[in-house]
Amino acid sequence: MVRGAVLLLLWLAGAEMLREEQVERSGFCSWKCMKFVQMWPASFCVALGPRFDCVVPESADSWTIHGLWPSSVMNCCSCWHLFPSDLMDLPKQLAQHWPTFLNASNFKFWKEEWQKHGTCAGCMEALSSPSKYFGAALDLRTTYNIDRAFQRAGILPSCNHSYQLQTLREALVPILGKEHQLQCVTDGQARQILVQLKVSLFSNFSAGCLEEEARDFSPYRPCENQRRIFYFPPNQKNPRDPCP
Ligand SMILES: *[C@@H]1O[C@H](CO)[C@@H](O)[C@H](O)[C@H]1NC(C)=O
Ligand SMILES: *[C@@H]1O[C@H](CO)[C@@H](O)[C@H](O)[C@H]1NC(C)=O
Ligand SMILES: *[C@@H]1O[C@H](CO)[C@@H](O)[C@H](O)[C@H]1NC(C)=O
């Protein structure tokens, strides 16, 4: 009986420690790598469910930012709210390079990204405020410039030409390194379509951080080697089916 109670107490203490450890682990500074995620606006709405409105602005004719995500941590601090004034002079650039395509306010998108991921980034001095975090993502877009890498390799958006995964990767390796992932969706005509690109960074923003792939709940999947890949041009009038 007494032994049972002692065991129970030990077990409770252990559970408490475990819980603290988990809080610590889900907190600020446990992450080693972060994902810088860019998306191709022309393909964003192809996999979008019917209950969402889709609007791709005319200006979105280059790769845009989806987010900057410290790995294996999320929602680190619900008390750190984002206000428009926190972004200082960035909103114009953010609207151009980090827009939402959900017919909602851009600020709502930025706020969600901040809440989910930005609040976990702050243990790095270079990311320790909203303006630093969003500013860093804008800088990363310039460093890891997918538009330029593809243009240099002659890879252009097209409805009727598709590419080998190998060709796309070879164009990207010089700027992104090998640790990147191209993500695709399959459209109604069973075409594999490039939609997103993740590059894995160290906390000093260098590419090449190695980590285990976390579970991915998005409809995007790693592009398959065996099938050709379409890189569709933007079609504002028909963003859900850019190349009918
Ligand atoms: C976007 O939202 C506005 C207002 O809520 C609505 O009137 C409009 O039809 C929506 N656009 C699309 C393409 O769904
Ligand atoms: C291929 O698609 C592009 C648009 O992406 C179009 O301008 C061009 O005419 C098409 N070429 C052929 C041969 O259909
Ligand atoms: C960034 O950090 C990684 C891992 O610590 C290191 O290998 C790399 O040399 C650093 N890059 C720069 C530019 O300092």
Side-chain angles (χ1 to χ4, degrees), residues 7-62:
L7 279 177
L8 178 68
L9 275 176
L10 281 174
W11 181 81
L12 283 174
E16 191 56 40
M17 265 163 64
L18 192 66
R19 210 169 314 132
E20 268 171 33
E21 195 190 3
Q22 275 164 354
V23 169
E24 180 62 35
R25 233 189 294 142
S26 71
F28 274 92
C29 292
S30 54
W31 53 272
K32 173 176 140 228
C33 309
M34 55 189 165
K35 288 264 161 60
F36 180 54
V37 186
Q38 299 184 71
M39 59 190 175
W40 179 235
S43 314
F44 173 79
C45 301
V46 170
L48 193 65
R51 63 199 171 88
F52 296 102
D53 286 351
C54 167
V55 175
V56 179
E58 200 83 35
S59 59
D61 58 358
S62 54

Side-chain angles (χ1 to χ4, degrees), residues 32-34 144 176-180 199-202 204-211:
K32 173 176 140 228
C33 309
M34 55 189 165
Y144 300 110
L176 302 181
K178 287 191 178 138
E179 294 307 314
H180 64 261
V199 55
S200 192
L201 307 179
F202 292 103
N204 62 11
F205 305 118
S206 295
C209 196
L210 274 172
E211 63 188 334

Side-chain angles (χ1 to χ4, degrees), residues 80 82 110-119 130 133-134:
W80 199 353
L82 183 74
W110 304 334
K111 197 175 160 103
E112 284 164 4
E113 287 293 313
W114 169 256
Q115 204 66 63
K116 241 191 201 169
H117 306 287
T119 57
Y133 175 77
F134 286 96

Side-chain angles (χ1 to χ4, degrees), residues 135-190:
L138 288 168
D139 289 346
L140 286 171
R141 195 187 158 277
T142 308
T143 309
Y144 300 110
N145 188 322
I146 302 171
D147 300 286
R148 201 169 52 203
F150 278 171
Q151 275 156 21
R152 273 190 192 155
I155 295 166
L156 302 172
S158 167
C159 282
N160 43 37
H161 185 74
S162 58
Y163 296 92
Q164 301 266 0
L165 180 57
Q166 182 68 12
T167 308
L168 301 181
R169 283 184 61 88
E170 274 167 13
L172 294 168
V173 165
I175 60 155
L176 302 181
K178 287 191 178 138
E179 294 307 314
H180 64 261
Q181 188 189 77
L182 289 140
Q183 295 190 309
C184 284
V185 292
T186 298
D187 78 351
Q189 298 181 46

